[in-house]
């Protein structure tokens, strides 16, 4: 199967990313139809799309897991990942962007740039992913192409360049003017399979010429070859213009913008053409960089089928029929079914089972996968998300994927003793799949606590336990992941650990200084020991003691964060001192210091955007104030709807979806994402501390 793969320069690894409900899955369905992968067009509302194949996705009409698909367009292989838009599943976007070379960002032409559009855009910025923009839903009331472009420029700080202008708007949207070829494109049939090219209508000609000049100016600012032609007033050929746009896009200097309506089957093929013309192949992106675990030196790997193997596992899926599937991206070399490879992250050997090219939840078995490809394999026993596979003889460790910390927890318990073992196994498999889902046992209560990114995230996990693993479970009330910190510095915490118990005693003496750290800095430790008053070998145990003590705070037992600790004095005993004694001393001194440093409770704050019809404004603002939200700004959107931006504590937002629906007769929508940790008001803090005792 892999032998008929096109050469590397004709491969594209792209993701479709956007805010929830902008139309990613609908776009993906059209791409599959026009590339010949499907023979009918699925619909999200009917629950028959290819990439939203989980029952939970079809019921809710949202994407939960990133689905991987391969399709061919104009003799190019496109490996495409349809990612979720809901913030609870942000890890799916994060890990997909880590292994992709390009992206198509879908925007709603009515709403423009929405909060999660900003989140996924920032994630793509972090990995320097070149992208195209597609302004979808041009047939909707209130659709505005120019306004969407302005919002991309203002809110995302990007450089959008229109490659098309729409012909008509809202119900009269019929097609686009292509500013590269200066032709009008319309779609001649209901399914949008046939493109019709015609002359630009007279009433649009001057607008199109102005827009084309702007496009040429914008691109030539970032491309020397086009700039030279532009300044000499030489008209570039189509090939020269496309090459210039491609160079500027791959350099992340511009973001080409297209428009259409995926639901009405208009505008998708030009985006596919643009993916081929302007987004990078694996050889257009810089070589992947990693560390050689033997000597710690930095090494680079070119995208070369004949080079040494380097691949990154970016997703694990527990498939009820075939077992544990590991999705991976090959950066160099080739992966063959049955081959022995090294998991260099763990230093363990693995044997690959079958190698599979994925088509959402359907599979095509292949004998090998080459550099630049995305595929999945069965048979890896000890390999998890973010780990590297490489040749046994030429090891490399690629950069891991960093995921956000969970912000919400609930207690789960099996309904019957028969469910007990099954629940443990189900939770283990689900946490292997999802790095933002954590499972732990509460030592005080003996309960199993599961943590995730939001209510919907945990709701889907529990639903999957019931359906896929047949586990009946009772679920407790959601709990917020509070943290503890300090408000004042303590210059001197002097702690001596002395214990005599027959034989050899224990002796350790440390003097610490505690200071409030920067927000998000967690626990930072530094040693200013001079003259060997504490031997070097005892410094690390002191830090270990401090870090283990920081796992449970002194106020309500929540983890301690944002504290800077300095060890600057102490003493030791030639015979009685040991690593264990200094670890205990570090731990006890830290706890003592916390109690004297005005400990304070911190809570997760969420960025919230509520979109409601104007008539409900007063009600909604009153409701938000009652939930301790601070209003950040309001904006009137087309169609008489208001967007209200605010910051609110997560603890107050449980059940908000139901409250908003009932106050707006089901017409209000909201989206929420984690912002930062902030001090809890004293009255609330007292209640939380009492509740945790």
């Amino acid at each position: 199967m892999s032998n008929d793969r096109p050469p590397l320069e004709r491969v594209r690894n792209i993701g479709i990313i956007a805010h929830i409900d902008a139309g990613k899955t609908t776009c993906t369905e059209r791409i599959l139809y026009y590339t010949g992968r499907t023979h009918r067009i699925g619909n999200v509302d009917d629950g028959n799309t290819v990439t939203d194949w989980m029952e939970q996705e079809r019921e809710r009409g949202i994407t939960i897991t990133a689905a991987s698909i391969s399709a061919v367009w104009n003799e190019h292989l496109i490996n495409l990942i349809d990612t979720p838009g809901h913030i609870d599943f942000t890890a799916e976007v994060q890990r997909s962007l880590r292994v992709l070379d390009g992206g198509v960002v879908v925007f709603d032409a009515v709403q423009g740039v929405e909060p999660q559009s900003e989140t996924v855009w920032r994630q793509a910025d972090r990995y320097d992913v070149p992208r195209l923009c597609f302004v979808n839903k041009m047939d909707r009331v209130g659709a505005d192409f120019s306004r969407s472009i302005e919002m991309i420029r203002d809110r995302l700080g990007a450089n959008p360049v229109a490659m098309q202008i729409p012909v008509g708007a809202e119900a009269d949207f019929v097609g686009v003017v292509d500013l590269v070829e200066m032709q009008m494109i319309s779609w001649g049939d209901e399914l949008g399979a046939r493109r019709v090219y015609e002359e630009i209508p007279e009433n649009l000609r001057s607008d199109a010429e102005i827009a084309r000049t702007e496009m040429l100016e914008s691109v030539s600012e970032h491309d020397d070859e086009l700039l030279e032609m532009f300044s000499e007033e030489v008209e570039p050929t189509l090939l020269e213009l496309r090459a210039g746009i491609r160079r500027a896009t791959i350099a992340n200097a511009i973001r080409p913008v297209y428009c259409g309506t995926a639901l009405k089957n208009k505008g998708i093929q030009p985006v596919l053409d643009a993916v081929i013309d302007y987004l990078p192949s694996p050889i257009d992106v810089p070589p992947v960089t990693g560390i050689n675990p033997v000597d710690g030196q930095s090494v680079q790997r070119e995208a070369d089928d004949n080079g040494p193997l380097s691949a990154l596992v970016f997703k694990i899926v527990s498939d009820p029929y075939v077992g544990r599937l590991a999705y991976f991206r090959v950066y160099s070399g080739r992966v063959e079914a049955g081959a022995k490879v090294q998991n260099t992250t763990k230093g363990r050997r693995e044997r690959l089972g079958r190698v599979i090219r994925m088509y959402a939840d359907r599979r095509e078995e292949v004998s090998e996968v080459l550099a630049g490809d995305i595929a999945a394999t069965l048979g890896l026993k000890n390999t998890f998300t973010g780990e590297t596979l490489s040749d046994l003889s030429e090891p490399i460790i690629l950069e891991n994927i960093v995921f956000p910390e969970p912000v919400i927890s609930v207690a789960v318990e099996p309904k019957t003793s028969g469910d007990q073992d099954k629940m443990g196994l189900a939770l283990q498999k689900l946490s292997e799949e999802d790095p933002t889902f954590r499972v732990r046992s509460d030592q005080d209560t003996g309960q199993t606590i599961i943590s995730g990114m939001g209510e919907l995230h945990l709701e889907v996990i529990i639903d999957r336990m019931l359906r896929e693993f047949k586990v009946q479970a009772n679920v407790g009330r959601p709990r917020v992941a509070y943290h503890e910190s300090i408000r004042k510095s303590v210059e001197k915490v002097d702690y001596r650990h002395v214990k005599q118990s027959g034989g050899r005693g224990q002796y350790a003496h440390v003097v610490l200084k505690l200071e409030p750290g920067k927000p998000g800095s967690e626990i930072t430790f530094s040693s200013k020991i001079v003259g060997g008053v504490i031997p070097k070998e005892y410094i690390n145990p002191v830090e270990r003691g401090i870090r283990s003590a920081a796992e449970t705070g002194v106020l309500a037992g929540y983890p301690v964060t944002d504290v800077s600790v300095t060890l600057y004095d102490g003493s030791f005993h030639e015979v009685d001192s040991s690593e264990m004694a200094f670890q205990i001393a570090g731990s006890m001194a830290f706890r003592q210091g916390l109690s004297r440093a005005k400990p304070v409770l911190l809570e997760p704050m969420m960025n919230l955007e509520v979109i409601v019809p104007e008539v409900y404004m007063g009600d909604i603002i009153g409701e938000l104030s009652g939930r301790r939200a601070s209003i950040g700004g309001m904006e009137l959107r087309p169609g008489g709807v208001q967007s209200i931006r605010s910051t609110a504590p997560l603890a107050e937002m449980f059940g908000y979806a139901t409250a908003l629906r009932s106050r707006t007769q089901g017409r209000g929508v909201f989206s929420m994402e984690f912002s930062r940790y902030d001090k809890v008001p004293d009255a609330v803090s007292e209640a939380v501390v009492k509740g945790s005792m």
Side-chain angles (χ1 to χ4, degrees):
M1 165 75 194
S2 58
N3 301 337
D4 58 0
R5 190 202 73 179
L8 260 182
E9 61 271 15
R10 295 218 303 268
V11 173
R12 301 287 180 273
N13 293 316
I14 64 158
I16 298 209
I17 57 177
H19 181 93
I20 189 168
D21 229 14
K24 295 178 303 305
T25 301
T26 308
C27 287
T28 307
E29 281 298 314
R30 274 51 184 180
I31 288 171
L32 293 175
Y33 179 70
Y34 299 135
T35 55
R37 285 309 311 241
T38 54
H39 302 293
R40 61 160 182 77
I41 295 180
N43 189 319
V44 172
D45 295 334
D46 297 341
N48 59 1
T49 61
V50 173
T51 53
D52 284 355
W53 53 271
M54 287 169 65
E55 288 173 26
Q56 293 85 349
E57 295 178 308
R58 293 187 164 174
E59 284 168 10
R60 292 169 175 79
I62 61 168
T63 302
I64 291 170
T65 109
S68 174
I69 269 172
S70 301
V72 175
W73 181 253
N74 288 353
E75 298 178 354
H76 285 67
L77 174 70
I78 300 176
N79 292 317
L80 182 144
I81 295 183
D82 174 24
T83 65
H86 199 288
I87 196 67
D88 283 14
F89 308 105
T90 183
E92 289 288 325
V93 184
Q94 191 101 327
R95 56 173 156 206
S96 302
L97 286 169
R98 169 70 176 80
V99 297
L100 292 169
D101 302 324
V104 175
V105 190
V106 183
F107 296 95
D108 181 324
V110 182
Q111 302 294 348
V113 175
E114 299 172 272
Q116 273 132 279
S117 318
E118 294 183 42
T119 307
V120 295
W121 193 273
R122 285 197 302 272
Q123 287 173 318
D125 279 343
R126 184 179 307 154
Y127 294 119
D128 285 332
V129 176
R131 36 242 87 137
L132 309 170
C133 303
F134 178 60
V135 177
N136 190 24
K137 305 192 180 184
M138 285 298 299
D139 59 318
R140 293 266 303 278
V141 175
D144 189 332
F145 184 61
S146 307
R147 180 172 161 277
S148 297
I149 287 183
E150 281 312 307
M151 287 177 84
I152 293 169
R153 183 173 287 113
D154 298 342
R155 281 205 187 168
L156 303 177
N159 183 15
V161 178
M163 294 287 147
Q164 300 172 333
I165 57 171
V167 180
E170 301 182 353
D172 300 326
F173 175 75
V174 291
V176 296
V177 172
D178 179 335
L179 299 177
V180 174
E181 296 194 9
M182 284 303 272
Q183 282 183 307
M184 175 176 156
I185 307 172
S186 58
W187 280 266
D189 60 314
E190 190 65 25
L191 292 174
R194 192 165 57 84
R195 281 186 272 187
V196 179
Y197 293 90
E198 48 200 311
E199 286 290 304
I200 299 170
E202 207 51 53
N203 61 338
L204 281 176
R205 183 153 279 285
S206 69
D207 288 353
E209 278 167 359
I210 291 166
R212 186 173 203 266
T213 306
E214 284 175 4
M215 181 264 285
L216 283 169
E217 280 176 1
S218 300
V219 177
S220 57
E221 275 173 28
H222 302 283
D223 187 75
D224 295 343
E225 290 178 39
L226 283 183
L227 183 61
E228 202 174 307
M229 290 185 189
F230 197 71
S231 55
E232 292 170 8
E233 297 187 2
V234 175
E235 179 68 25
T237 66
L238 275 179
L239 279 175
E240 288 167 338
L241 179 52
R242 286 204 179 104
I245 296 169
R246 179 181 180 81
R247 286 190 294 267
T249 305
I250 291 175
N252 279 318
I254 65 165
R255 310 289 181 203
V257 186
Y258 293 79
C259 65
T261 161
L263 191 64
K264 298 286 166 63
N265 310 319
K266 292 183 172 83
I268 298 297
Q269 295 98 328
V271 175
L272 276 169
D273 291 342
V275 165
I276 304 303
D277 290 341
Y278 307 134
L279 288 182
S281 73
I283 54 178
D284 295 319
V285 293
V288 69
T289 304
I291 301 292
N292 182 331
V294 179
D295 57 15
Q297 295 295 308
S298 178
V299 272
Q300 287 194 331
R301 293 278 164 88
E302 301 275 350
D304 176 7
D305 297 343
N306 299 314
L309 170 67
S310 60
L312 185 77
V313 173
F314 67 95
K315 182 176 162 81
I316 299 290
V317 175
S318 297
D319 187 292
Y321 303 108
V322 294
R324 200 161 162 275
L325 268 174
Y327 285 73
F328 58 89
R329 156 81 191 257
V330 186
Y331 284 97
S332 63
R334 56 186 67 209
V335 169
E336 294 175 2
K340 284 183 181 162
V341 295
Q342 173 136 316
N343 174 336
T344 29
T345 312
K346 286 194 174 135
R348 298 180 71 161
R349 291 192 177 192
E350 287 270 39
R351 188 186 183 88
L352 295 165
R354 290 185 293 160
V355 175
I356 293 161
R357 205 184 275 288
M358 294 303 293
Y359 177 52
D361 62 333
R362 305 211 292 280
R363 315 169 183 81
E364 294 166 6
E365 206 164 316
V366 294
S367 57
E368 62 175 6
V369 182
L370 307 177
D373 265 350
I374 290 173
T377 182
L378 290 159
L380 297 181
K381 292 186 174 62
N382 302 303
T383 301
F384 295 93
T385 299
E387 294 180 352
T388 305
L389 300 176
S390 77
D391 275 351
L392 303 177
S393 56
E394 296 194 51
I396 183 173
I397 299 179
L398 303 175
E399 183 196 346
N400 206 329
I401 311 173
V402 180
F403 295 104
E405 288 294 310
V407 293
I408 175 177
S409 306
V410 296
V412 290
E413 54 184 42
K415 278 193 176 166
T416 66
S417 56
D419 285 321
Q420 179 79 51
D421 293 342
K422 284 200 297 188
M423 185 175 95
L425 186 67
L427 290 175
Q428 181 201 338
K429 285 190 170 176
L430 290 165
S431 65
E432 283 176 7
E433 281 188 29
D434 184 349
T436 56
F437 171 62
R438 308 275 168 83
V439 184
R440 66 182 174 83
S441 230
D442 189 310
Q443 289 171 341
D444 301 331
T445 62
Q447 287 178 306
T448 300
I449 308 291
I450 60 174
S451 308
M453 300 305 295
E455 285 181 282
L456 180 63
H457 187 194
L458 294 184
E459 184 189 306
V460 166
I461 292 277
I462 288 153
D463 197 37
R464 288 187 61 195
M465 264 171 49
L466 176 64
R467 293 194 194 185
E468 289 174 35
F469 300 97
K470 308 289 185 280
V471 177
Q472 303 270 352
N474 294 320
V475 183
R477 284 189 61 241
R479 290 174 50 186
V480 176
Y482 290 104
H483 284 173
E484 294 183 23
S485 192
I486 57 174
R487 268 184 292 184
K488 74 166 203 174
S489 297
V490 177
E491 293 298 320
K492 185 176 182 184
V493 184
D494 193 325
Y495 186 84
R496 222 176 272 268
H497 175 67
V498 184
K499 208 169 184 186
Q500 285 302 135
S501 53
R504 188 172 158 182
Q506 288 183 22
Y507 179 89
H509 172 215
V510 296
V511 185
L512 304 180
K513 175 184 178 183
L514 269 60
E515 299 166 283
K518 288 183 182 149
S521 63
E522 299 181 357
I523 302 289
T524 54
F525 173 83
S526 59
S527 164
K528 293 199 173 154
I529 294 293
V530 287
V533 291
I534 297 178
K536 267 188 184 158
E537 64 266 28
Y538 296 145
I539 306 250
N540 275 347
V542 173
E543 181 180 357
R544 276 204 303 277
I546 289 166
R547 291 194 182 281
S548 80
E551 287 170 16
T552 50
V554 292
L555 268 183
Y558 291 106
V560 181
T561 187
D562 304 345
V563 177
S564 170
V565 187
T566 308
L567 169 67
Y568 66 92
D569 202 1
S571 61
F572 75 106
H573 187 280
E574 289 285 356
V575 177
D576 290 349
S577 285
S578 65
E579 288 195 5
M580 180 52 76
F582 272 95
Q583 188 167 330
I584 293 167
S587 168
M588 299 305 287
F590 181 70
R591 292 188 73 76
Q592 265 189 23
L594 283 182
S595 304
R596 289 164 44 197
K598 285 204 173 164
V600 61
L601 208 56
L602 304 177
E603 64 183 341
M605 302 296 287
M606 312 301 281
N607 284 335
L608 186 70
E609 183 179 59
V610 186
I611 296 171
V612 291
E614 223 174 337
V615 291
Y616 302 112
M617 273 285 288
D619 252 15
I620 295 306
I621 287 177
E623 160 90 8
L624 286 172
S625 302
R627 291 174 182 265
R628 296 197 281 124
S630 57
I631 308 294
M634 287 173 273
E635 180 191 356
L636 186 62
R637 297 268 179 92
V641 296
Q642 279 277 4
S643 154
I644 308 161
R645 290 176 155 233
S646 63
T647 309
L650 175 65
E652 302 289 344
M653 295 311 297
F654 295 132
Y656 184 61
T658 312
L660 180 65
R661 277 200 291 270
S662 63
R663 281 178 183 267
T664 60
Q665 297 176 357
R667 293 164 66 195
V669 293
F670 80 102
S671 61
M672 184 166 76
E673 65 173 312
F674 174 71
S675 165
R676 63 182 187 278
Y677 270 88
D678 227 340
K679 180 183 173 303
V680 177
D682 293 342
V684 179
S685 179
E686 280 172 32
V688 173
V689 171
K690 273 187 192 151
S692 67
M693 294 306 179

